[in-house]
Amino acid sequence: MKLTISRNELNEAVQHVSKAVAARTTIPILSGIKIDAVEHGVTLTASDTDISIQSFIPTEMQDRRIVTVHRGGSVVLPAKFFVEIIRKLPNEEVLLEVGERFQTSITSGAIDIQLVGLDPEEFPILPILEEDRVFSISGDQLKSMIRQTVFAVTTNESTPILTGVLWSLQDGVFKFVATDRHRLATCSIRSDVGEELKFSNVVISGKTLGELSKIIPDQDELVDIVVADNQVLFKLGNVLFYTRMLDGTFPDTTRIIPTSFRTELILSTKALSEAIDRAYLLSREEKTNIVRLSTTESGGIEISSSSSELGRVQEQLTVTELKGDPLRIAFNSKYMLDVLKVVDSEKLFIGFTGAMSPIIIKPEQEDSLHLILPYRTTN
Amino acid sequence: MKLTISRNELNEAVQHVSKAVAARTTIPILSGIKIDAVEHGVTLTASDTDISIQSFIPTEMQDRRIVTVHRGGSVVLPAKFFVEIIRKLPNEEVLLEVGERFQTSITSGAIDIQLVGLDPEEFPILPILEEDRVFSISGDQLKSMIRQTVFAVTTNESTPILTGVLWSLQDGVFKFVATDRHRLATCSIRSDVGEELKFSNVVISGKTLGELSKIIPDQDELVDIVVADNQVLFKLGNVLFYTRMLDGTFPDTTRIIPTSFRTELILSTKALSEAIDRAYLLSREEKTNIVRLSTTESGGIEISSSSSELGRVQEQLTVTELKGDPLRIAFNSKYMLDVLKVVDSEKLFIGFTGAMSPIIIKPEQEDSLHLILPYRTTN
């Protein structure tokens, strides 16, 4: 293998695939990045066997020469060092040449690097997926749906299925659900795929979705999603992102979401967020994060928290609308703040069905819905 | 105590003194901030007994009313919560009132906070220093001198005196020295104090200087420095910063700095810094951080490093000037990068007296000097 390549494009591709390099592995080949050079371009691949990322660099882009392949071939280079040195090369052009026993030289200006390469034959082969269930969604929408839900997955490995986000596509509605049994986040959009395309119980690790989110470009481009038997593939321009689905059955959560309420509230997202943040400061010291919300006689609400050691915080909030029964409820303020952080709309709806029943939070004009279980307190 | 105070000024003062609050302490009063209100203003104080910071808020600033003291008095409030809640209050004005048993209410708009206060009589009393050794230096110069030297203190608590920076004032020259026995950093400026004002062996903890640096304002104001028996006081406008000196005698380092060289080099700070950074990437994997510098036959230098597992990096650099004997020397690249990070001048001088002798680095037009001991390697 011998090729000349533009540093900027090489660097971008290397940064993308680096997210799939196994951080701690006993299999040396997985700590590397595979480079394949053929006549029409260079492909970089990294895989920790759960996720795999592949980035293709074509020989030309917008009439500009990016890669010249003098001799085709493959090699695996140690990722950690390779990723950083490519980022720190000052010159525009890099010459890569693989010699005997995968010894690789990287030359750029007055810099000469000799790297011990590994045999590309040992590198895992990416699966070939059946492409009969494929649909497209805008990158911005996908990022937003991930952001609206991923914070609610559990970090507790004893229920592995809940470390993931449930995806389903039914009657043209594409939906995400995440829950850690104390709270639940859902988000859905209407997709323009035909009704014959559907799937359910596709569960993708929250951590993986976090990584995917980072490499979805900021420009609003379409992402193609291929749903195969136990893998999902995302096509983002020249980047392919493969992930395994999580094994197991995601619990049915549809029945725990109340549809009618005894107390309904519409208020400013920012005002509520700031008030709960202040009450949280005190509740945090108690390690419980418990904050109370009560309706007041004047038709507003009061947010409060108390600590036996420090004292208490109490704050009156005016609301846009308050309907139904008077209420006094306690909840984990951290969970509420997590929700308020992802709500982009100026106002939101909160529905209650009593002090012991789920709290429902719905942003105005957004297709997301959040549920938080209250604390059962006696005072 | 009862007072109305502008939130912004209160917040600024609270943030300043918070840096002296004891982070982990078994003495509850030290985790608090003391507030004293008298007719002409409010004083905040925090102390972890090693450093103490006091900030005074006058009743008026530039004809604007800042504080109205309705009733004088004192209280100590729990710092961690107080610091954050003051930062997060939305309103312009805050009412503070101390009731029975130091119960304190903080009111701002619709927010009502009740805090358990502590008895101010239990709070440590700040020392009264003899002000016969006082001099002034610009805040920018003081910050720069701290930055040029503080990174070279040791983090090894077995030699406590070397965790500090040595200060001396002799013949009108104000000088800092820091060393961890492997490297040394010095910086000095000519001060306009009279020659009769002098001191030596004033050693101030590197960590304390880091905190001091943070509260020196960015505007180029004068800092008054009071050097007393075992304390140093810094006066920064309305803020007083007290610190204890470290006990012990700082080693004499004057004799280890060579004054004549066998090889002399002048080159671009940026080019050297980037080349060593690349070589460091590889040496880091070997955990040694060893990088080599050699003069080349073409009158330049070569920077290189190698790792038995990964390979090697080798880079040619042109220099502005190279005088004296050919040289091949190895050093800890992390130490060199630490120096290069604080050098602001475009070019620098490096002097060598052989492969086993100290390396001297001097920025152009700066009164600082850095020394690094080389590694004794056989190859």
Side-chain angles (χ1 to χ4, degrees), chain B residues 28-89:
Chain B
I29 197 85
L30 295 184
S31 64
I33 291 177
K34 187 165 74 138
I35 305 174
D36 296 290
V38 292
E39 201 178 327
H40 62 282
V42 173
T43 303
L44 303 185
T45 312
S47 175
D48 66 2
T49 70
D50 280 334
I51 68 172
S52 307
I53 306 179
Q54 194 163 69
S55 183
F56 176 69
I57 310 166
T59 47
E60 278 188 18
M61 264 163 125
Q62 287 152 344
D63 284 337
R64 201 165 61 82
R65 192 91 196 153
I66 305 295
V67 184
T68 307
V69 178
H70 311 290
R71 193 170 66 241
S74 300
V75 71
V76 174
L77 295 180
K80 198 175 158 205
F81 175 71
F82 185 63
V83 169
E84 294 201 53
I85 196 74
I86 294 300
R87 192 159 60 87
K88 291 188 168 170
L89 286 182

Side-chain angles (χ1 to χ4, degrees), chain A residues 258 261-265 349-353 358-362:
Chain A
F261 304 101
R262 278 165 50 192
T263 312
E264 294 185 12
L265 202 56
F349 165 91
I350 310 186
F352 306 88
T353 44
I359 304 168
I360 296 296
I361 304 125
K362 275 197 284 197

Side-chain angles (χ1 to χ4, degrees), chain A residues 57-309:
Chain A
I57 310 166
T59 48
E60 275 187 19
M61 264 164 126
Q62 288 152 342
D63 284 338
R64 203 165 59 83
R65 192 90 196 153
I66 305 295
V67 182
T68 307
V69 178
H70 310 289
R71 195 172 64 241
S74 299
V75 72
V76 174
L77 295 180
K80 196 176 159 207
F81 175 70
F82 185 62
V83 168
E84 294 202 53
I85 196 75
I86 294 300
R87 192 159 60 87
K88 291 190 169 170
L89 287 182
N91 291 81
E92 250 318 288
E93 241 186 23
V94 180
L95 176 71
L96 268 167
E97 186 169 4
V98 180
E100 266 179 54
R101 283 171 296 122
F102 307 107
Q103 176 77 20
T104 304
S105 81
I106 304 173
T107 323
S108 181
I111 304 164
D112 174 38
I113 299 155
Q114 298 295 328
L115 276 185
V116 178
L118 296 171
D119 185 354
E121 294 292 322
E122 291 175 27
F123 204 80
I125 293 165
L126 297 195
I128 294 159
L129 303 188
E130 292 273 356
E131 303 218 356
D132 47 357
R133 286 193 296 184
V134 185
F135 66 107
S136 298
I137 169 174
S138 97
D140 284 357
Q141 276 187 317
L142 181 56
K143 257 200 272 199
S144 166
M145 289 180 74
I146 293 174
R147 177 165 166 266
Q148 297 284 335
T149 51
V150 78
F151 65 87
V153 304
T154 186
T155 51
N156 186 339
E157 292 290 340
S158 69
T159 48
I161 195 76
L162 297 186
T163 64
V165 177
L166 171 71
W167 288 25
S168 64
L169 179 63
Q170 219 93 45
D171 304 326
V173 176
F174 184 42
K175 188 175 177 188
F176 285 19
V177 179
T179 180
D180 65 2
R181 293 193 194 280
H182 304 288
R183 54 174 165 179
L184 176 138
T186 77
C187 188
S188 54
I189 57 160
R190 180 146 285 283
S191 162
D192 52 7
V193 298
E195 295 199 0
E196 66 283 1
L197 183 65
K198 56 177 155 186
F199 56 80
S200 58
N201 203 47
V202 168
V203 185
I204 303 177
S205 145
K207 238 169 72 188
T208 298
L209 292 175
E211 294 297 339
L212 173 65
S213 218
K214 281 184 215 156
I215 67 170
I216 297 174
D218 280 329
Q219 307 89 309
D220 195 13
E221 282 170 27
L222 281 183
V223 177
D224 289 340
I225 304 178
V226 181
V227 178
D229 276 351
N230 64 349
Q231 294 257 352
V232 180
L233 163 60
F234 301 88
K235 298 182 179 180
L236 312 122
N238 281 324
V239 179
L240 302 181
F241 187 110
Y242 293 79
T243 176
R244 255 183 224 287
M245 295 173 195
L246 294 187
D247 289 329
T249 305
F250 203 87
D252 179 16
T253 56
T254 49
R255 276 167 310 171
I256 65 165
I257 301 172
T259 47
S260 66
F261 304 101
R262 278 165 50 192
T263 312
E264 294 185 12
L265 202 56
I266 296 175
L267 77 172
S268 151
T269 308
K270 185 162 177 280
L272 179 65
S273 179
E274 290 179 353
I276 291 184
D277 195 26
R278 282 186 282 267
Y280 159 70
L281 284 183
L282 197 75
S283 66
R284 187 178 59 174
E285 301 294 313
E286 287 282 284
K287 310 255 192 297
T288 60
N289 296 337
I290 294 181
V291 162
R292 281 187 180 72
L293 182 154
S294 325
T295 54
T296 60
E297 291 189 3
S298 59
I301 60 168
E302 183 183 273
I303 301 292
S304 63
S305 68
S306 60
S307 145
S308 50
E309 249 175 70

Side-chain angles (χ1 to χ4, degrees), chain B residues 76 81 88 115-116 131 156 159 222 234 248 273 282 290 292 314 334 349 361 367:
Chain B
V76 174
F81 175 71
K88 291 188 168 170
L115 276 185
V116 178
E131 304 217 355
N156 185 339
T159 48
L222 279 185
F234 301 88
S273 179
L282 197 75
I290 294 182
R292 281 186 183 72
Q314 208 167 320
K334 196 78 187 53
F349 165 92
I361 305 126
D367 285 324

